[in-house]
Amino acid sequence: MSGFKKASVRDAEVAGRRVLVRVDFNVPLDDGEVADDTRIRAALPTIELLRERGAAIVLTSHLGRPKDREPELSLRPVAARLGELIGADVELAPGLVGDDAEALASGLDRGRLLLLENSRYEPGETDNDPALAERLSALADVYVNDAFGAAHRAHATTAGVAQHLPAYAGLLLEREAVELAAVRDDPAPPLVVVLGGAKVSDKVGVLERFIDVADEILVGGAMCFVFFRAQGHETGDSLVEEEGVELARRVLDAAERSGCELRLPADLVLGREFDADTERRDLDGVDVPEGWMGLDVGPRTASAYADVIGAAGTVLWNGPMGAFELEPFAAGTRAVAEAVAAAPGRTVVGGGDSVAALEEFGLAERIDWVSTGGGASLELLEGKALPGIEALLGAEAVRA
Ligand code: ADP
Ligand code: MG
């Protein structure tokens, strides 16, 4: 994809100018501290490039889904963590806009950093309020969007503000778009898509798209139970997203007609409830008895999936194979993660929980591209236009 040739931050004139950078600092907090700074670190290359080039940097991000100015969702801990990572002070403005933010931004020297308080404290943010976008644009001379994780949202900080300033893609957003579009549009064959997790309705668009282009789709996690239900198997107390069953029926039909092999688990690991201490048993088969739930794929399935992954030219993985947070039900996800890490083909992983699993197993460095975007990566893979990317390309509306 070449959509960013004109709009990359690399080509922006920023020396001595104020640059508003939309980042994705929507990180998990624990007891008022940043619990995982992966997303902050992912934004550092763009921030460092802008600092080296003499820009004054005004950062904006949302954090969680505040209903009003909930103090627990302040970006203060993020400012502190960013300051440590970058070795410089990061001042926090009390609001996204307003007199204080304006005064702090206009007094910002080259190389200095200001973080605007949680953008979703401002009700106009999620409505993409044009007045808010215009007021926000007054804080800077140039706009850079590096928040790939929020690029599927048309909000004031991700889309609206781009209409008022020269707008560029940050390094992370650009790389995400390039890597994911490459898997979507030009994967080295055979293409193997591994899908799991719990959010079936969010992922069915990806299934429907890849059923025509993938060579194999390997299904695990709670996702397999909508397929088993559609096929008439017993699912016991397993997590089944009811709306997903009809979608699964459609996908099974489409798989019949396409050249894609859709594989479902052949064995499962069952528990009584979603708990690490629950009674556990292996099931050689997929009919889950009453009083049990499927919480992982079984060893036969995991090893068959690992073989397919090892022979792939390209692997796209989204969604854990089971309830990997519970150690007795982590083996299937670990086996697939190890197979993806060891695969000679190109490997791309997206989805917050899948990435967390990779980190937990110490395998993230062995993946070719680990996406920071859950919903955004799914929408891009489905072929949807992302408002945060479209806004950078203006009338050209080139799809990444
Ligand atoms: P991702 O964030 O990688 O896109 P999802 O959010 O869709 O993945 O799903 C992750 C969640 O799915 C995990 O919390 C995991 O415990 C849960 N999960 C996976 N398999 C099962 C299962 N068989 N039963 C219940 N929950 C499951
Ligand atoms: Mg998730």
Side-chain angles (χ1 to χ4, degrees):
M1 87 98 232
S2 57
F4 288 114
K5 275 212 177 106
K6 291 196 197 85
S8 167
V9 65
R10 276 183 278 248
D11 305 319
E13 300 266 351
V14 299
R17 302 174 89 186
R18 260 181 291 151
V19 181
L20 176 70
V21 188
R22 180 37 159 117
V23 284
D24 179 9
F25 286 169
N26 184 27
V27 295
L29 296 179
D30 186 18
D31 227 357
E33 298 212 16
V34 174
D36 177 354
D37 63 7
T38 309
R39 285 183 166 168
I40 304 177
R41 283 185 283 110
L44 294 180
T46 293
I47 295 171
E48 272 157 2
L49 176 99
L50 290 167
R51 281 188 91 207
E52 278 161 23
R53 294 190 179 176
I57 302 165
V58 181
L59 297 159
T60 175
S61 175
H62 75 284
L63 177 61
R65 293 167 183 246
K67 282 177 210 75
D68 45 55
R69 290 187 65 100
E70 293 173 35
E72 320 70 76
L73 291 176
S74 165
L75 283 169
R76 184 163 299 284
V78 174
R81 186 77 194 104
L82 174 63
E84 283 164 21
L85 288 169
I86 213 154
D89 283 340
V90 178
E91 188 145 18
L92 183 71
L96 177 65
V97 291
D99 294 345
D100 291 326
E102 280 163 29
L104 286 166
S106 64
L108 203 64
D109 290 330
R110 279 171 169 248
R112 304 301 296 260
L113 296 144
L114 174 68
L115 176 61
L116 304 173
E117 189 50 284
N118 192 341
S119 62
R120 290 195 190 166
Y121 280 176
E122 202 60 56
E125 158 73 328
T126 51
D127 301 335
N128 196 9
D129 174 21
L132 177 63
E134 190 165 2
R135 186 128 197 236
L136 183 61
S137 71
L139 299 179
D141 310 303
V142 173
Y143 170 71
V144 171
N145 188 358
D146 210 22
F148 180 72
H152 57 318
R153 308 280 183 218
H155 293 171
T157 59
T158 60
V161 69
Q163 295 180 359
H164 301 281
L165 292 171
Y168 300 89
L171 300 174
L172 173 65
L173 182 138
E174 183 179 20
R175 180 85 193 272
E176 288 270 16
V178 169
E179 294 287 348
L180 296 170
V183 170
R184 186 191 61 193
D185 302 332
D186 192 24
L191 170 62
V192 175
V193 178
V194 188
L195 277 182
K199 293 189 227 149
V200 178
S201 45
D202 285 1
K203 300 184 185 186
V204 75
V206 170
L207 264 172
E208 289 191 314
R209 171 164 183 114
F210 281 94
I211 203 86
D212 291 323
V213 287
D215 296 282
E216 308 222 23
I217 297 181
L218 315 178
V219 177
M223 177 177 268
C224 66
F225 298 110
V226 297
F227 287 95
F228 289 146
R229 184 69 73 75
Q231 290 176 331
H233 289 289
E234 298 298 330
T235 54
D237 295 340
S238 304
L239 181 62
V240 182
E241 205 188 272
E242 292 298 338
E243 320 85 274
V245 178
E246 190 46 46
L247 299 168
R249 227 169 252 130
R250 272 193 354 232
V251 171
L252 286 167
D253 282 350
E256 289 274 305
R257 291 190 305 271
S258 79
C260 173
E261 176 138 12
L262 181 77
R263 292 187 191 237
L264 298 170
D267 58 345
L268 296 169
V269 182
L270 312 183
R272 290 281 186 189
E273 49 198 302
F274 193 98
D275 189 302
D277 298 324
T278 191
E279 194 186 340
R280 175 188 182 284
R281 60 171 276 211
D282 293 322
L283 174 70
D284 193 11
V286 297
D287 283 292
V288 181
E290 202 76 29
W292 293 88
M293 53 177 77
L295 289 173
D296 194 11
V297 299
R300 213 147 53 80
T301 303
S303 123
Y305 285 9
D307 289 346
V308 174
I309 290 165
T314 307
V315 183
L316 172 64
W317 177 29
N318 180 297
M321 295 292 101
F324 73 96
E325 307 92 322
L326 313 176
E327 185 49 39
F329 304 101
T333 303
R334 185 180 280 113
V336 162
E338 282 170 355
V340 177
R346 178 135 196 98
T347 54
V348 175
V349 180
D353 293 288
S354 314
V355 174
L358 280 173
E359 301 274 359
E360 193 183 309
F361 305 145
L363 297 169
E365 287 73 41
R366 293 169 58 197
I367 307 301
D368 292 313
W369 183 249
V370 176
S371 178
T372 55
S377 69
L378 290 171
E379 291 194 19
L380 196 148
L381 290 166
E382 267 177 65
K384 287 191 184 153
L386 306 189
I389 292 178
E390 299 291 298
L392 302 176
L393 301 167
E396 269 185 296
V398 178
R399 289 192 181 190

